């Protein structure tokens, strides 16, 4: 199962762009074994922990997550024989918690009003009380997070587009996907433009994404990589999720809908080019969202 991480398909979104000289592609990250983009950094942070000696037999892996990293940690923890304990904001949908618990990991809930910043605070106090018990990868500050995307996501996009990518559009959570992939694409071609996708305010329904101006800034974030920012409203992302299901046959998660809204805006401004975005997960964890009933 570990060797199945990465190597995800790059899908063409043909219905979203009218200009034949502009192509729009999305990397379908739900093809990873844990069902999301977070398999890549979770596995790399665990393997880096083992290499550095910080993760040894008998230690419990602990981290703050909005869900998908937790699912990946729980899955790899079960496969590799490590206990896993996760702190998740209480407002995150129940499906992720159920999946995490199904892998045998334990979940603690943090204050829903404080988001993932509150979950981080709770993890830090637990680790401070028993430092010898825990391995705390700290996905917001761990270079192995963005390096996973530099080594795999970015590399795969270069290969799959034969280097023709001109614009990379990506949401910001821990910022690992944006930072690592942008660094690799810009290393290959300094003209590649990286566009960060942001919720349009601090209170939003774009699970997995952070509103950077009102949040604690992750240590791995590098604002010098940002060539542009696109703000997306939750309702716009919901509408795009429905459209992708009904017009492209792709049932994606809400942050994928937000990424597509932003990527289509960029594509519409271009005369020619190749826009690549990321679909972090699929829609199966979001089927209880009320927008499906409207
Ligand atoms: N979308 C979803 C659904 C996620 O779970 C995450 C991870 N928090 C992201 C987007 C953002 O990815 P990253 O942490 O690499 O910025």
């Amino acid at each position: 199962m570990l060797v199945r991480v990465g190597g995800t398909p790059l899908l063409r979104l043909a219905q979203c762009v009218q200009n034949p000289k502009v192509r729009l592609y999305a990397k379908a990250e739900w093809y990873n074994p844990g069902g999301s983009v977070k398999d890549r950094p979770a596995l790399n942070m665990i393997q880096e922990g083992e290499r550095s000696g910080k993760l040894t037999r008998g230690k419990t892996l602990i981290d703050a997550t909005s869900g998908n990293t937790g699912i990946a940690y729980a899955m790899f923890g079960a496969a590799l024989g490590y206990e896993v304990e996760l702190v998740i904001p209480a407002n995150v949908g129940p499906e992720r918690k159920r999946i995490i618990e199904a892998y045998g990991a334990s979940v603690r809930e943090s204050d829903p009003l404080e988001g993932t910043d509150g979950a981080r605070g709770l993890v830090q106090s637990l680790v401070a009380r028993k430092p010898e018990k825990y391995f705390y990868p700290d996905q917001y500050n761990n270079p192995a997070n963005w390096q996973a995307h530099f080594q795999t996501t970015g590399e795969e996009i270069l290969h799959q587009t034969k280097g023709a990518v001109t614009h990379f559009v990506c949401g910001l959570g821990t910022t690992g996907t944006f930072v690592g992939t942008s660094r690799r694409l810009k290393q290959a071609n300094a003209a590649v433009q990286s566009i960060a996708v942001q919720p349009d305010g601090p209170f939003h329904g774009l699970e997995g994404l952070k509103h950077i101006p009102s949040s604690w800034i992750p240590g791995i974030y590098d604002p010098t990589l940002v060539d542009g920012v696109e703000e997306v409203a939750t309702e716009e992302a919901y509408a795009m999720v429905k459209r992708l299901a009904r017009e492209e046959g792709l049932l994606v998660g809400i942050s994928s809908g937000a990424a597509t809204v932003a990527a289509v805006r960029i594509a519409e401004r271009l005369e020619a080019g190749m826009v690549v975005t990321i679909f972090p997960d699929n829609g199966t964890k979001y089927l209880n969202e009320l927008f499906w009933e409207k």
Side-chain angles (χ1 to χ4, degrees):
M1 178 263 292
L2 272 60
V3 299
R4 291 284 175 190
V5 176
T8 56
L10 190 67
L11 308 176
R12 175 118 190 237
L13 304 182
Q15 308 304 320
C16 293
V17 189
Q18 306 309 323
N19 180 349
K21 290 188 183 147
V22 178
R23 281 168 295 163
L24 173 56
Y25 289 91
K27 204 132 164 70
E29 289 298 304
W30 63 84
Y31 280 87
N32 284 300
S36 88
V37 70
K38 302 304 296 201
D39 282 6
R40 299 175 187 262
L43 182 60
N44 200 40
M45 289 186 286
I46 289 172
Q47 290 179 330
E48 177 51 33
E50 289 176 332
R51 275 194 293 269
S52 67
K54 287 185 191 149
L55 174 58
T56 48
R57 288 284 134 222
K59 284 220 176 181
T60 297
L61 187 159
I62 189 168
D63 212 342
T65 154
S66 64
N68 278 328
T69 312
I71 292 171
Y73 284 144
M75 178 181 72
F76 295 128
L80 297 169
Y82 297 111
E83 296 275 325
V84 175
E85 219 175 284
L86 302 160
V87 180
I88 298 184
N91 56 319
V92 168
E95 294 82 0
R96 293 162 188 229
K97 289 170 202 151
R98 294 297 294 267
I99 297 169
I100 288 167
E101 286 166 347
Y103 284 117
S106 66
V107 174
R108 269 177 216 256
E109 293 190 342
S110 58
D111 187 336
L113 296 176
E114 291 178 27
T116 44
D117 292 355
R120 286 185 62 251
L122 184 50
V123 168
Q124 284 162 355
S125 67
L126 291 166
V127 173
R129 252 178 267 160
K130 289 187 184 167
E132 67 296 337
K133 176 179 173 190
Y134 291 115
F135 167 64
Y136 174 28
D138 192 4
Q139 59 165 338
Y140 291 88
N141 290 306
N142 190 333
N145 176 352
W146 70 261
Q147 284 161 359
H149 296 288
F150 185 93
Q151 288 155 8
T152 69
T153 321
E155 192 65 38
E156 289 168 26
I157 291 171
L158 286 174
H159 183 72
Q160 287 169 310
T161 64
K162 300 188 174 64
V165 52
T166 58
H167 293 74
F168 176 59
V169 179
C170 181
L172 304 179
T174 66
T175 76
T177 312
F178 179 87
V179 168
T181 308
S182 295
R183 279 199 179 126
R184 182 67 190 92
L185 297 181
K186 285 169 183 280
Q187 184 189 63
N189 174 7
V192 170
Q193 300 283 294
S194 284
I195 291 94
V197 182
Q198 279 283 275
D200 64 351
F203 301 103
H204 62 86
L206 307 180
E207 258 183 55
L209 302 192
K210 234 168 149 34
H211 180 247
I212 294 285
S214 64
S215 319
W216 170 82
I217 310 287
I220 60 171
Y221 185 48
D222 179 357
T224 67
L225 297 166
V226 180
D227 299 298
V229 176
E230 288 297 322
E231 288 195 359
V232 177
T234 300
E235 297 298 325
E236 287 180 287
Y238 287 161
M240 185 58 88
V241 166
K242 279 191 180 169
R243 199 177 141 196
L244 288 168
R246 287 156 198 188
E247 292 178 22
E248 301 270 5
L250 296 169
L251 185 60
V252 300
I254 299 162
S255 68
S256 306
T260 310
V261 169
V264 168
R265 281 188 209 151
I266 301 296
E268 282 173 350
R269 285 181 215 145
L270 298 179
E271 275 178 30
M274 186 188 287
V275 182
V276 173
T277 191
I278 303 285
F279 283 170
D281 62 4
N282 74 8
T284 52
K285 290 181 293 242
Y286 309 93
L287 292 174
N288 290 321
E289 297 276 346
L290 293 175
F291 73 87
W292 284 112
E293 287 161 29
K294 284 189 205 144

